[in-house]
Amino acid sequence: MLRPEAGPAQGRLSTAAHADQFAVHGRRPVRWLGAAIALAPVLLYGAIGSLLAFVFNVILWDSWSRVASAYFVVFSRDPHLAAIGFVWNPLPTVALLPFMPLQLLAPGLVREGFAANTVSALFMGAAVWQLWRILNDLNVRRVVACTLTLMFAVHPLIAFFGANGMSEAAFLFFLLLTARHLALWLREGTTQALAMTAVGLALGYLTRQEAVAPAAATFLGVAAVTFTRSSGGRKQRLTAATADLLVVGAPFVFAFTAWALASWAIVGSPFEQFTSAYSISAQRSLIATDVAYNVGAELVHQVRHLVQQVFGLAPAVAPMALVAFAVALRRRDPHVAAIILVFGSVLAFTALAFLTGRTFGWLRYYIAVIPMLFVLAGCALSQDPLAGRRSKRATSSRRERLRAASRPIASAVGTALILAATALSIPSAARTMLDPELNRGDDGIQFLSLMRAGASEDADVTAYDAGGAVARYLDDKGLPTGAVLVDVASGLSVVLHSADPKQFVITTDRDFEAALADPVAFDVQYLLVPAPQGQHDALTSEYPGLYQNGAEIADLEWEFDPPGMFDWRLFKVTSPAAET
Amino acid sequence: MVRLPPAFHAERRDGRTCRRCAYGPARRAYCRRCSDTLDRGSTVPKDSRTAAHDRWESIPGPRHLTRPFVVKPLRVPEDAVPRELSAAYTVTPRQALVLRVAAGALVIGLVANAAATAIALVAVATALYAAATLFRVRTFTLALGKGSDIVVEQTEALAIWDRSLPMYTVLVPAFREPQVIGALIANLDRLDYPRDRLDIKLLLEDDDAETIRAAQAAVTGDHMELVRVPYSEPRTKPKALNVGLRLARGRRHGRGLVTIYDAEDRPDPLQLRRAVAAFRRAGTKTACIQAKLAYYNADQNMITRWFTAEYATWFSQLLPGLVRQGVPIPLGGTSNHFRRTVLEQVGGWDPHNVTEDADLGIRLHRAGYRTEVLDSTTFEEANSDFVNWVKQRSRWYKGYMQTWLVHMRNPVRLWRELGPSGFVGFNLFVGGTPLLALLNPVFWTLTLSWFLHSPAFIVALFPPWLYYASLASLVLGNFGFVYMAMLSAQMSHAPGLVLAATLSPVYWGMMSIAAIKAAIQLVQAPSFWEKTSHGLDRAAGEVPQRAET
């Protein structure tokens, strides 16, 4: 509470003096270096991204799907913001919206999915920059910090996900932002740092639902730390802990609630990312089959798979954590706690979800281990701000002088060892990424394995081409608005390729359900159905057997069935659905 | 004053106290509190004023008083504020014309194409709402960085050589408050400033016999003076302040400083010294230093908690943020410190403006002077009663509207004097504060009724582009305001207020009631306006039993 007698000025004075005396001030960032470090990775990832999109014609399904969602918001028959969909958390899609008007100038930007690559390049560049800032906060020697940042930026997994348009880049950025400010808060206790932690968690949640884990861990940690380190009686400490908890929790709770409310108001269920037929969580049986086929049904296989993936990506992460922890204990620097809390909780959450059969065993889910390794290396290499003062102390005995003389050598050897252990992650991760055994069923990384093997039968590539062919066929017919009913979960390539996206009635349209129930009344002439491959399709589940025989409401008009490609069948609606 | 040899000072370090007032420990040659010399052999009796009095009798100045220190000017000085910047009249003929034309256009639009006009109206409201919100968030975040307010450490404030301190005039207007006079004088006595340079003026209305009697009984030294302000219209706080300013001691064009405290204020004892240091550091272009205001009764009830959290945002974040952007800052009611010469140059306070402090801040900026914020707190009493709070707040909103109208009489000149960012900032802050309070309930009602039963008119009012824009600015803006209040409460080391801040939407409801009251008075009965300001001579910290005439 405010205490007029004591006077706030005196209070401020003592805390300021305290901070000056004890705060471990990080290195001041050099401005041009910071700008270069923020900009260069963006250019690098942008270049790799354009190679992927325009030269190799590779589009990862998830990133393409986000581009499609953003596209539907602006260009569909029923343009409305809710078309961004509720299966995925919205931020990566919303970040794509500003690029959509460019479709009118350069159609390739959207059709080839390059908008997503641009966004991920920007986010991954920001993530690299955050790592740089953390290393500066940690007081890592500038040359070492530059080396670590460079290694991180060219790390194959980081570079690939910076370039390929997936949401991992944004998620990593927010995780690093959160970890950095949480560490600053642990160190200096400023409300600003706590607020930035809170904002990072909220935006992280709007990017990926895994952010629930670091959020929960952070809330518990903040409340516990404040309770133990604030002064006063039990009640005052409880008040202080509550206040800090509210400050760090409010934005997350707001984001969580706002997103749930929006989902509830628009699609009728607050947690569409868990309950939707399209969501990963709803596909338990599919996951079980997939995991059993690709990894093994036994828990032992799954654990081995997990360990191989995580330590394949970052072989030195466990010893690095130990070293960082030891250094932190010696310095009384709580930085490392924040890092382990934020990244460790994400990894633990994903691993647990995989082992309990709630998600796939994909390599990219463990991408958080890379920034964790690099920040831990930073903790291990951070310089003691008092070291210079200590070494100046007069040394008396011969033994002590010898030790003082050998200290730079020991420090150089230690630095080299830690840098080498960190750098080991680069070849090891590359090998893990290209190991087909560890990446079976992962659309994203499989591409790399296939490319190495010289194969071109990537599912996404074929879906892309198939979509183009179907779209051309439909465009040639010159159909009126709303003539073709299609589920865009698999049909997005068709809609994206079409010159006239308004001819489709798509899943995100507000009248889709009604049109699906009664196609004739809504002047729907055609139903476009993909070959069933285990994924959910609204048309097939409404009319079972539609793909095989038209389900008595439609006749097969045209079949797109090229060898080795994604199959499509176009049905012409014949009789009113009500009669069937 | 006797300068004692160094050896004497060394001996004094053990914490000797002043024999007269028991203030200590003292390291100086004389007591800081009663400016009596701390001579070891001094045996000044406790009730005597002669030592100090004799000293300042010798200071030249236009003050001669008979005991007990009462001054009564023969007449109230003329308004010194230029008429084109005075709120003696509300709108100029040109402004009235513009308003009539706008109203006419609105009526014609509604008749011709009601839907389109309504949509345009909603769009304009949304744009203004979003702009005012964004400006506030930006102002807030700017102030989070270091160095947006002046921090004077205790040691620096105490190290100023007393004889280099300027004459400090402290104006304390009070009206029908005999019961707080004792506490007031005790609080003023706590100010750490040499008494021969302190000129405290209690500004009391001539017919307020009770308060005058109480003050006469309580006055503790020759540095205090009672001023009986003769009756004249308008009977407001700024008029009393102008009277006090005319009587300020010290040379007319000297380095003298002026400040204002309300009767129930508890200023930081070092505030005057800190302000002197801040003026020295800030340079001659800085004519005003605003100290921070906070409340000592934050824990009394929910209203005072909200009020305290709001004040923390206002003084610790928003005002320093405005300073950083070079936007004129509306001053708070008390604890603003002025260079006396500048204050006289711009004409003092506008006696017709209900928030003369806000208006003065803008006028100083227009005259080319800066205002800075000082990290030193004055504690006031928060208004804890709902009805009273609404009255006080509606007066503030009315004053803000009045100030906005006064300064927008000639927008081109204002733009030239404030510059683009100052102009935009003035409109979004001084105009935006009552505007946000007015628009908030409208948007909330629309949103709630849309969620409850989606009436057709709302669907018609909000085409998709507008719908998303207003929903985003409402939801994000409101969350932003709640979060800013929480952060301010936390940063002012008052964790108990953070929880109250999460409930601040209820407080905004109260603000909206006050804003509607203020707007109705402004639109329907501008003449009633003058009447309300009657007797309400003090803007902040009104005491409940005050009669409103």
Side-chain angles (χ1 to χ4, degrees), chain B residues 311-324:
Chain B
Y311 252 39
T313 315
W314 189 267
F315 286 101
S316 297
Q317 269 78 45
L318 292 181
L319 294 192
L322 291 181
V323 171
R324 279 213 131 171

Side-chain angles (χ1 to χ4, degrees), chain A residues 1-5 8-10 12-13 80-82 191-192 194-195 198 239-240 243-244 246-247 250-251 254 265, chain B residues 144 151 153-154 266 274 295-296 299 308 375 377 379 451 468 475-476 479 483 486-487 490-492 495-496 498-499:
Chain A
M1 275 307 93
L2 295 167
R3 282 163 297 138
E5 295 80 20
Q10 281 93 349
R12 270 287 296 276
L13 182 74
H80 63 297
L81 189 62
T191 309
Q192 286 93 321
L194 199 58
T239 312
D244 275 347
L246 283 171
V247 168
F254 170 72
Chain B
L144 289 181
V151 180
E153 299 296 354
Q154 195 174 15
R266 296 182 192 169
R274 287 196 162 109
Y295 291 125
Y296 53 75
D299 275 338
T308 311
D375 185 29
T377 307
F379 286 90
F451 267 107
Y468 292 122
V475 173
L476 288 177
F479 173 73
Y483 198 55
M486 289 167 66
L487 290 182
Q490 180 74 338
M491 279 187 278
S492 62
V498 177
L499 190 63

Side-chain angles (χ1 to χ4, degrees), chain A residues 383-437:
Chain A
Q383 284 188 301
D384 190 345
L386 303 173
R389 260 177 270 171
R390 246 185 237 146
S391 62
K392 272 179 202 144
R393 213 185 293 152
T395 47
S396 51
S397 72
R398 193 188 147 81
R399 196 169 163 184
E400 269 185 50
R401 270 204 301 273
L402 200 68
R403 190 182 288 172
S406 66
R407 195 168 287 145
I409 304 167
S411 131
V413 171
T415 306
L417 270 178
I418 287 170
L419 283 180
T422 315
L424 189 61
S425 163
I426 293 177
S428 168
R431 218 196 61 200
T432 313
M433 284 167 73
L434 296 173
D435 184 349
E437 276 306 304

Side-chain angles (χ1 to χ4, degrees), chain A residues 29-30 51 57 104 129 264 394 438:
Chain A
V30 183
L51 272 183
N57 270 339
L104 302 173
W129 180 60
W264 178 65
L438 289 175

Side-chain angles (χ1 to χ4, degrees), chain B residues 41 93 209 212 231 348 358 540:
Chain B
I212 293 174
Y231 174 80

Side-chain angles (χ1 to χ4, degrees), chain B residues 101-373:
Chain B
V101 168
L106 187 64
V107 170
I108 293 170
L110 282 174
V111 171
N113 188 346
T117 314
I119 289 175
L121 208 60
V122 172
V124 169
T126 303
L128 288 175
Y129 188 92
T133 307
L134 282 177
F135 181 75
R136 284 207 163 202
V137 173
R138 182 181 143 75
T139 306
F140 186 91
T141 46
L142 271 180
L144 289 181
K146 280 172 192 154
S148 44
D149 53 359
I150 301 183
V151 180
V152 178
E153 299 296 354
Q154 195 174 15
T155 41
E156 186 188 347
L158 287 173
I160 304 174
W161 190 31
D162 283 6
R163 288 173 73 174
S164 75
L165 288 170
M167 179 62 77
Y168 225 119
T169 303
V170 179
L171 303 175
V172 188
F175 184 48
R176 290 189 192 150
E177 288 165 305
Q179 73 285 356
V180 299
I181 289 292
L184 163 69
I185 286 172
N187 291 329
L188 292 176
D189 268 347
R190 252 179 241 134
L191 287 174
D192 185 335
Y193 207 80
R195 299 212 157 181
D196 56 340
R197 280 148 206 279
L198 194 55
D199 170 28
I200 297 179
K201 290 196 162 29
L202 299 178
L203 308 171
L204 308 171
E205 294 291 316
D206 195 22
D207 55 357
D208 185 8
E210 272 181 71
T211 317
I212 293 174
R213 213 173 302 126
Q216 278 176 338
V219 163
T220 54
D222 299 350
H223 58 293
M224 286 190 194
E225 217 167 62
L226 305 191
V227 178
R228 299 175 65 143
V229 179
Y231 174 80
S232 79
E233 289 296 334
R235 199 163 166 170
T236 56
K237 171 184 172 183
K239 188 204 66 180
L241 292 173
N242 283 334
V243 171
L245 181 64
R246 287 296 166 99
L247 297 169
R249 254 167 57 194
R251 266 168 300 173
R252 188 84 204 277
H253 299 290
R255 303 176 296 132
L257 300 178
V258 179
T259 189
I260 313 162
Y261 291 121
D262 273 349
E264 73 282 352
D265 283 4
R266 296 182 192 169
D268 160 25
L270 282 177
Q271 194 172 92
L272 302 186
R273 283 175 169 274
R274 287 196 162 109
V276 171
F279 271 119
R280 285 182 185 172
R281 214 188 283 171
T284 49
K285 273 289 155 196
T286 299
C288 176
I289 304 262
Q290 169 75 55
K292 294 177 182 178
L293 302 182
Y295 291 125
Y296 53 75
N297 59 338
D299 275 338
Q300 191 180 336
N301 60 27
M302 216 51 202
I303 295 180
T304 61
R305 282 194 197 105
W306 283 325
F307 209 166
T308 311
E310 184 195 9
Y311 252 39
T313 315
W314 189 267
F315 286 101
S316 297
Q317 269 78 45
L318 292 181
L319 294 192
L322 291 181
V323 171
R324 279 213 131 171
Q325 298 174 81
V327 172
I329 78 169
L331 303 174
T334 85
S335 306
N336 21 46
H337 304 258
F338 303 94
R339 287 187 201 279
R340 182 178 154 197
T341 45
V342 177
L343 193 54
E344 281 166 351
Q345 180 200 325
V346 300
W349 294 268
D350 176 6
H352 298 278
N353 197 309
V354 203
T355 50
E356 80 294 339
D357 35 26
D359 171 69
L360 179 57
I362 316 295
R363 271 194 290 128
L364 283 172
H365 204 102
R366 292 186 74 166
Y369 294 102
R370 303 286 114 179
T371 301
E372 300 279 349
V373 178

Side-chain angles (χ1 to χ4, degrees), chain A residues 509-526:
Chain A
D509 288 348
R510 278 166 287 195
D511 52 4
F512 178 78
E513 293 292 326
L516 179 62
D518 189 0
V520 177
F522 280 82
D523 294 332
V524 172
Q525 299 175 21
Y526 294 100

